[in-house]
Amino acid sequence: MVQVRKALPQSDDGAFNYPEWLKRLSLPAVVATERLEQALRLSEQLSHHHSPQSWSQPFRMGVEMVEILAGLQLDQETLVAALLYRQVREKQLSIEQVNTQFGQRVAALIEGVLRMAVIGPAAGDAAGPVFGQTEQQAQNVRKMLVAMIDDARIALIKLAERTCVIRSVKNQPQRRERVAREVRDVYVPLAHRLGIGHIKWELEDLSFRYLEPKLYEQIADLLDEKRLDRQRYIDNVIVQLNECLSVAGVTALVSGRAKHIFSIWRKMRRKDISFSQVYDVRAVRVLVDNPQDCYAALGIVHMLWRSVPNEFDDYIANPKTNGYRSLHTAVIGPEAKVLEVQIRTRAMHAESEFGVCAHWQYKGADTKQQQQDKAYDEKIAWLRHVLEWHDEMDSSGDSVAQLGAESSAARIYVFTPEGHVVDLPNAATPLDFAYHIHTEIGHRCRGAKVNDRIVPLTYVLKTGEQVEIITGNTAAPSRDWLRPGLGFIAAARSRAKIKQWFKKQAQDENIQAGRVLVEREFKRLALTSIDYKHVAEKVNCVSVEGMYAAVGAGDLSLSQVLNAAQGLLGTQVADFSIKPRPKSELPPGQGIRIGGVSNLLTQLAGCCKPVPGDLIIGYVTVGRGITVHRQDCARALQLMQQERARIVDVDWDHVDSSSYPVDIEVEAFDRPGLLNDITSLLANEKCNLTRVNTHTNRQHNSARLQLSIEIGSLALLGRLLAKIDALPNVYSVSRVSQG
């Protein structure tokens, strides 16, 4: 329901009429009007100083805030703080002046509300609207507000101020939508959870009016069309019910209860019904002195009118989980129209309207989220506890400090430069903020600004601060960030991301090193046709990069990789001892299978000299059996094009005792004893040397040696080449193919 703003009372000379205004306030007896009048005079003087022709907007808003808070029966300090708050915020009055003239407690209340005001500018300056983007974002803002509140009265002053602001933007189209979103997403839920019912309803209606003007007007028109009839109907019901209650001896106050527009729209949407099916548009409320009178009044209502089945709820005998108490019933009233009746005591009504036992989880959004966040629930419960016992507790600074300590927040809430709210653990640093925004921003973090001031990365963030991260062009976390004693990070999530980065860097280095080792070895062994994916699977690696990383880290040896490559082709040699064979021609059936059949005449091609582990094909010759070539041999490729019909599939047989001729080439700086070192190495490895050809370049002092050897497996060949490569002055050694 939207409240009508009352004009400020004036004297005949146009001055503000303090006595008249104070009379229309329902001030508690403990409020000393002299102190409030002192604040009024100061505020009015400041108002005329900044706006000589009339009262300034901060003054008017302060007076209106006092009117709202007086209805909540708040104390003198709260009312004075509310009266002066806007003028402090607009810098018409300093906090030091407030402290001097009205005391430290009033100044502390204003400072608390100013801390909450950080949301307004941050949202307004954002590139896009913060509020209404996501429910999580709005939830973060609400939590941040609660975390910033040290005194329950701060929340109430802020709610009153936002109520005045949203009332005042009626004729400001550009501003009112932003204010309405802020109120809807943040302050309506706050009022809802604190149980300030009448403020919540007004904020809901006004934000709905500005954000959904067409829907609001439709429902308002429907209500307006029936307003006179409904008012006449309610008046008749009140008269009739008052007479019956008086006859029965029940002292009661009966009033018509207006159903606010947003509540009607929400019920229509939730139940998917039309306006005509919203029965509680016509409703009365009965306030009595004690619970016994509640049931007596209920009996009278049911004697007067027939009750609607399944529309009776006893929340006095069975209060709601939030403590709400009342009797609800629906009856077929006069003219056969459905009428809702609520019956409660005056104390129950005060709880419902002004907090403590109102609907802070009933009909509210985010109930599940609320239950999951204990820290937020505890702070809300603390605020409600303060409201409930405010009149009985000592309002000294020590009491407030004690309550504040009991509700220490477990989370902090800070702003991004765009005005978004980020939820971080307590004692979080700018690095935690950076890693929360994005992992890459954390990796590239070089510095930070808090509220436009450069701070160290070990700075402990506080709720309400705006944080900006300064980044570099490349990711370069420091290992010092992981040292607990240095205080760079507080969040486990940040620590895990930094550790993962260093682990990934080591993995990248291992992959690169392993790639070089494997590719160099396979190239040196002339294994150009090997499928690395199959080799990786053979050594139990999920990918080729995983195989490279294992080789680079030393978890997998090159010999294992070479054995796997050889095993893929059916020849896995476990014993590396070599039995020399002086001939390259093999007896029938030894070493080669043709179409799965052994005992056929075969010979190894002299052009490419395949060895076990090479991919091979067979060529049917005339009178000399089948010649076996490597699949990548140039001669074999030519034969496949010219005489395709004579190409047959062959593979290696499982033979452990055979040796195969291989040509290798060694390049080195020439020196005495080079050939002797190589031949001695071959002898030590029990490898048969069948041919040696050397060529020396005197001009470059280099030597090239071509050797023919007999080898038993790829693994042994790889080991042999590695040992030759390690000899002094040798800079290259590889297997060569004449094809």
Side-chain angles (χ1 to χ4, degrees):
M1 65 192 77
V2 178
Q3 299 291 331
V4 178
R5 302 176 69 187
K6 298 179 181 178
L8 298 182
Q10 300 181 34
S11 303
D12 295 337
D13 58 358
F16 185 78
N17 191 331
Y18 302 114
E20 182 65 26
W21 180 73
L22 290 171
K23 283 181 182 178
R24 79 185 193 190
L25 296 180
S26 301
L27 293 175
V30 295
V31 174
T33 57
E34 296 81 7
R35 191 81 178 278
L36 192 55
E37 285 186 23
Q38 178 187 351
L40 279 167
R41 291 190 183 94
L42 173 62
S43 181
E44 187 183 23
Q45 290 172 5
L46 294 170
S47 173
H48 286 308
H49 176 72
H50 289 85
S51 182
Q53 303 303 321
S54 62
W55 291 307
S56 66
Q57 179 66 16
F59 172 76
R60 289 180 174 273
M61 189 172 291
V63 171
E64 192 173 346
M65 288 169 63
V66 171
E67 291 177 344
I68 294 172
L69 295 173
L72 296 176
Q73 300 294 291
L74 288 174
D75 60 16
Q76 173 183 277
E77 291 171 353
T78 307
L79 300 181
V80 171
L83 184 64
L84 301 176
Y85 165 71
R86 289 295 300 194
Q87 288 174 315
V88 173
R89 180 172 172 177
E90 300 288 338
K91 302 190 185 306
Q92 297 178 6
L93 180 67
S94 70
I95 200 72
E96 290 77 14
Q97 289 176 280
V98 174
N99 192 18
T100 301
Q101 297 189 44
F102 300 98
Q104 189 273 334
R105 296 178 189 172
V106 173
L109 289 174
I110 294 176
E111 286 180 326
V113 186
L114 286 172
R115 285 201 305 271
M116 296 177 70
V118 71
I119 285 182
D125 297 339
V130 175
F131 308 107
Q133 279 190 344
T134 64
E135 178 52 34
Q136 183 59 47
Q137 180 63 213
Q139 180 73 1
N140 281 345
V141 175
R142 293 194 288 267
K143 289 180 180 179
M144 186 191 71
L145 283 174
V146 174
M148 294 170 69
I149 299 171
D150 300 318
D151 187 320
R153 295 171 295 177
I154 293 174
L156 300 178
I157 295 172
K158 187 62 182 178
L159 284 173
E161 188 252 359
R162 288 294 94 184
T163 302
C164 296
V165 168
I166 199 170
R167 287 175 181 175
S168 67
V169 296
K170 177 180 179 181
N171 298 317
Q172 302 176 40
Q174 294 181 345
R175 187 182 174 208
R176 68 187 180 195
E177 183 174 346
R178 181 181 65 80
V179 172
R181 287 186 183 279
E182 177 186 359
V183 166
R184 183 195 65 184
D185 291 346
V186 179
Y187 295 102
V188 165
L190 186 61
H192 179 72
R193 283 154 177 78
L194 291 176
I196 317 299
H198 69 291
I199 290 181
K200 172 204 166 190
W201 296 329
E202 182 176 359
L203 295 179
E204 280 181 335
D205 270 7
L206 286 171
S207 58
F208 181 56
R209 177 179 184 175
Y210 298 147
L211 295 175
E212 300 289 347
K214 292 183 179 179
L215 290 173
Y216 181 91
E217 289 175 6
Q218 288 175 6
I219 298 174
D221 288 344
L222 291 171
L223 286 173
D224 191 56
E225 288 174 2
K226 299 184 178 182
R227 180 174 58 84
L228 294 178
D229 291 339
R230 188 173 65 254
Q231 189 60 52
R232 176 190 54 79
Y233 182 88
I234 292 296
D235 289 342
N236 291 336
V237 167
I238 291 174
V239 170
Q240 188 175 357
L241 191 53
N242 265 326
E243 290 176 355
C244 294
L245 290 171
S246 179
V247 170
V250 177
T251 303
L253 174 65
V254 184
S255 61
R257 182 180 65 84
K259 183 79 171 176
H260 62 295
I261 292 176
F262 178 79
S263 179
I264 294 173
W265 173 79
R266 182 171 54 192
K267 176 172 284 192
M268 291 169 60
R269 187 183 63 169
R270 187 178 70 247
K271 295 189 175 183
D272 193 22
I273 58 177
S274 65
F275 177 82
S276 61
Q277 295 173 288
V278 181
Y279 298 135
D280 57 350
V281 170
R282 291 177 293 273
V284 294
R285 179 174 290 142
V286 180
L287 301 183
V288 295
D289 294 330
N290 53 63
Q292 292 81 0
D293 287 346
C294 290
Y295 292 99
L298 177 67
I300 293 169
V301 169
H302 284 171
M303 286 176 59
L304 280 173
W305 305 296
R306 180 167 55 89
S307 63
V308 176
N310 303 318
E311 290 296 328
F312 168 69
D313 295 294
D314 186 349
Y315 296 122
I316 296 178
N318 300 291
K320 290 180 179 290
T321 55
N322 62 357
Y324 173 81
R325 295 178 298 163
S326 183
L327 297 177
H328 292 188
T329 187
V331 297
I332 307 298
E335 303 176 22
K337 293 180 179 179
V338 177
L339 173 71
E340 183 187 70
V341 182
Q342 292 184 0
I343 306 171
R344 61 180 68 149
T345 67
R346 289 174 172 81
M348 295 175 190
H349 179 65
E351 292 171 350
S352 173
E353 290 292 302
F354 305 124
V356 184
C357 292
H359 316 271
W360 72 289
Q361 287 183 337
Y362 169 58
K363 290 185 180 177
D366 317 322
T367 301
K368 184 176 180 181
Q369 183 69 25
Q370 286 279 327
Q371 293 171 346
Q372 292 174 347
D373 195 329
K374 291 183 65 177
Y376 182 54
D377 273 350
E378 289 171 0
K379 190 64 177 277
I380 287 289
W382 170 78
L383 290 172
R384 291 164 52 77
H385 174 76
V386 174
L387 287 173
E388 183 176 8
W389 298 105
H390 189 272
D391 292 336
E392 301 177 18
M393 66 182 292
D394 177 15
S395 60
S396 66
D398 292 340
S399 298
V400 173
Q402 179 182 357
L403 286 169
E406 291 174 356
S407 61
S408 58
R411 309 288 293 180
I412 63 169
Y413 305 91
V414 295
F415 284 111
T416 67
E418 293 76 26
H420 295 260
V421 175
V422 174
D423 175 4
L424 295 172
N426 196 26
T429 66
L431 272 176
D432 292 314
F433 173 88
Y435 277 105
H436 183 95
I437 296 300
H438 196 280
T439 302
E440 192 62 24
I441 292 178
H443 292 338
R444 293 166 49 205
C445 179
R446 298 293 180 273
K449 290 182 179 180
V450 173
N451 295 337
D452 294 324
R453 180 173 57 89
I454 296 285
V455 297
L457 293 180
T458 54
Y459 177 84
V460 178
L461 298 175
K462 303 176 185 64
T463 290
E465 292 179 327
Q466 187 179 69
V467 186
E468 179 183 354
I469 299 299
I470 303 170
T471 59
N473 294 327
T474 58
S478 169
R479 290 191 182 274
D480 286 341
W481 294 356
L482 295 173
R483 295 173 61 183
L486 297 182
F488 280 102
I489 54 175
R493 177 182 177 185
S494 305
R495 185 177 300 276
K497 289 184 176 182
I498 297 170
K499 286 182 177 180
Q500 184 64 29
W501 186 86
F502 282 111
K503 183 178 180 181
K504 186 177 186 302
Q505 292 304 112
Q507 184 181 28
D508 290 345
E509 293 173 2
N510 290 336
I511 289 173
Q512 184 62 26
R515 185 193 305 274
V516 171
L517 290 171
V518 172
E519 291 183 349
R520 183 179 65 188
E521 192 69 11
F522 275 49
K523 182 179 180 181
R524 188 160 61 183
L525 296 173
L527 299 177
T528 57
S529 57
I530 289 290
D531 188 340
Y532 287 2
K533 290 183 180 179
H534 294 158
V535 177
E537 292 174 0
K538 193 74 174 178
V539 294
N540 299 320
C541 292
V542 295
S543 65
V544 176
E545 285 197 344
M547 180 180 71
Y548 290 153
V551 173
D555 298 330
L556 185 66
S557 68
L558 279 174
S559 295
Q560 290 173 292
V561 176
L562 292 173
N563 277 337
Q566 185 170 334
L568 287 172
L569 301 170
T571 306
Q572 177 106 23
V573 179
D575 184 2
F576 293 123
S577 63
I578 300 299
K579 297 180 179 180
R581 293 187 59 86
K583 300 191 299 179
S584 62
E585 185 176 303
L586 299 177
Q590 183 165 345
I592 301 294
R593 289 190 312 230
I594 302 170
V597 179
S598 301
N599 301 320
L600 297 175
L601 180 62
T602 60
Q603 62 179 351
L604 300 179
C607 56
C608 57
K609 297 181 180 178
V611 297
D614 290 332
L615 295 175
I616 54 178
I617 61 170
Y619 173 72
V620 180
T621 65
V622 179
R624 291 183 294 122
I626 295 176
T627 302
V628 178
H629 293 264
R630 285 168 50 189
Q631 287 187 3
D632 59 353
C633 172
R635 176 59 180 160
L637 294 173
Q638 183 181 2
L639 291 172
M640 289 176 68
Q641 291 180 350
Q642 296 176 353
E643 300 183 70
R644 180 71 185 176
R646 303 179 73 174
I647 301 298
V648 295
D649 292 330
V650 297
D651 55 12
W652 298 101
D653 205 351
H654 293 278
V655 179
D656 295 341
S657 59
S658 300
S659 58
Y660 302 87
V662 175
D663 291 335
I664 63 174
E665 183 174 86
V666 180
E667 294 185 355
F669 295 108
D670 193 19
R671 65 172 174 83
L674 176 63
L675 181 59
N676 181 64
D677 289 347
I678 294 174
T679 55
S680 297
L681 179 60
L682 293 174
N684 291 335
E685 292 294 326
K686 299 180 181 180
C687 182
N688 188 40
L689 177 63
T690 61
R691 181 180 66 87
V692 176
N693 183 23
T694 64
H695 174 74
T696 302
N697 187 328
R698 298 295 182 185
Q699 183 178 358
H700 296 94
N701 194 32
S702 63
R704 176 179 296 170
L705 293 80
Q706 294 178 332
L707 301 91
S708 294
I709 61 175
E710 290 185 336
I711 202 73
S713 71
L714 287 173
L716 180 58
L717 178 59
R719 188 173 69 186
L720 183 63
L721 296 184
K723 289 187 175 183
I724 295 174
D725 192 37
L727 292 174
N729 287 36
V730 173
Y731 57 80
S732 175
V733 58
S734 61
R735 177 188 177 189
V736 295
S737 173
Q738 297 176 1

